[in-house]
């Protein structure tokens, strides 16, 4: 079949290249990526199991942590098995529908995660600034509703992205995606036709979520710090701020890689393509790996429960 570079076609599938420019290193790259994915899965499943078993952890902060663990499992599992398939077997082919589904899952659950961080900031604000009403304001029903609201917002914001591509831009210049997963910008750059509407919508949603959520989280922490500074003793201040430490770490772990990746994507035209793709993968892997570690190290109840389980396992073996 003769194909010309200026011919646009409707593909039934795409081919993901993995890490473009580092194809010769794919087998070696599979070792750190496979290990990181394994750590992420074990860590988040452990957090879910510990919180489920330990009755004293059935509190808003830990319910939100469970939601984070589920989101992190979805984010890493929607990309890593496919990436490892490319590394090990060269299995880069992905159908159009699977590609759109992957795009939806990645962007939707990144949006949901941002919403959960906002809910966690509200939880810390109520716990510190209005402790007497914490159990009434953030009862189990309220926590469930906040989680559901974050999920619905993710679906409403991101749902149109794959639909707009399917309906407005059915033709493609090539079916080869120079990326390891179906990222919105990577797919849009291959389409024939006017992609400005899609670009503007994607940018607007990213801006809305990142800027509004981070501003709201920052505002809640300003009020928290004001309340903490009003406490009489330095010990009380440190103890109160200590309850926020894990959350602040998790927020930085989530927002900093996304911000760096977005800035490089927009302005880093001199940055080599492998760096773009590696960064894009890291921002889907770093939070799922570090969140369980941060919370396990910084949260006394989780740490103690984990140590109990490990001691019991050691005795049995």
């Amino acid at each position: 079949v003769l194909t010309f570079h200026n011919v646009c076609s409707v593909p039934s599938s795409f081919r993901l290249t993995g890490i473009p420019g580092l194809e010769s290193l794919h087998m070696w790259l599979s070792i750190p990526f496979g290990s990181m994915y394994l750590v992420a899965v074990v860590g988040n499943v452990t957090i879910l199991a510990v919180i489920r078993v330990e009755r004293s952890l059935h509190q808003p902060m830990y319910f939100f942590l469970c939601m984070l663990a589920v989101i992190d499992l979805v984010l890493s599992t929607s990309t890593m098995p496919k990436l490892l398939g490319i590394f090990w077997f060269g299995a880069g082919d992905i159908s159009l529908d699977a590609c759109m589904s992957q795009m939806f899952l990645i962007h939707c659950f990144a949006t949901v995660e941002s919403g959960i961080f906002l809910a966690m900031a509200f939880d810390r604000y109520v716990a510190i600034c209005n402790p007497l009403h914490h159990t009434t304001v953030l009862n189990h029903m309220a926590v469930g509703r906040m989680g559901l609201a974050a999920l619905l917002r993710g679906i409403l914001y991101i749902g149109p992205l794959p639909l707009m591509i399917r309906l407005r831009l059915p033709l493609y210049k090539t079916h080869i995606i120079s990326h390891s997963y179906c990222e919105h910008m990577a797919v849009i750059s291959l389409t024939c036709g006017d992609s400005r509407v899609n670009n503007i919508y994607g940018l607007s949603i990213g801006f809305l979520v990142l800027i509004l959520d981070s501003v709201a989280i920052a505002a809640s922490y300003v009020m928290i710090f004001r309340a903490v500074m009003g406490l009489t003793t330095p010990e009380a201040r440190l103890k109160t701020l200590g309850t926020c430490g894990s959350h602040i770490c998790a927020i930085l772990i989530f927002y900093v890689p996304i911000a760096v990746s977005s800035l490089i994507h927009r302005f880093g035209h001199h940055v080599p393509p492998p760096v773009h793709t590696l960064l894009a993968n890291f921002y889907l892997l770093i939070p799922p790996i570090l969140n369980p570690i941060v919370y396990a190290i910084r949260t006394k109840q989780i740490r103690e429960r984990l140590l109990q389980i490990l001691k019991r396992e050691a005795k049995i073996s």
Side-chain angles (χ1 to χ4, degrees), residues 217-292:
I217 290 167
S220 71
Y221 270 100
V222 167
M223 290 186 275
I224 286 169
F225 286 130
R226 277 170 61 183
V228 168
M229 289 305 136
L231 296 171
T232 48
T233 64
E235 290 81 19
R237 287 176 199 164
L238 274 175
K239 191 183 176 190
T240 310
L241 280 178
T243 64
C244 302
S246 307
H247 183 231
I248 293 168
C249 289
I251 286 169
L252 292 173
I253 288 163
F254 177 73
Y255 285 109
V256 170
I258 287 184
V260 170
S261 184
S262 299
L263 286 169
I264 285 179
H265 210 92
R266 299 273 172 267
F267 308 110
H269 303 298
H270 57 281
V271 176
V275 176
H276 278 284
T277 315
L278 284 169
L279 270 174
N281 280 293
F282 284 140
Y283 96 66
L284 293 180
L285 263 180
I286 289 169
I289 290 169
L290 292 184
N291 283 345

Side-chain angles (χ1 to χ4, degrees), residues 98-135:
C99 185
M100 294 298 141
S101 303
Q102 190 187 46
M103 180 197 295
F104 172 76
L105 282 173
I106 293 161
H107 295 293
C108 174
F109 278 89
T111 306
V112 177
E113 184 152 359
S114 188
I116 297 299
F117 280 128
L118 185 54
M120 290 171 95
F122 178 69
D123 166 61
R124 291 297 84 209
Y125 165 71
V126 177
I128 290 165
C129 299
N130 204 349
L132 297 176
H133 293 107
H134 186 234
T135 47

Side-chain angles (χ1 to χ4, degrees), residues 38-48 69 288-289 292-293:
L38 188 65
V39 170
V41 170
V42 170
N44 285 292
V45 169
T46 304
I47 289 282
L48 287 168
I289 290 169
I293 295 169

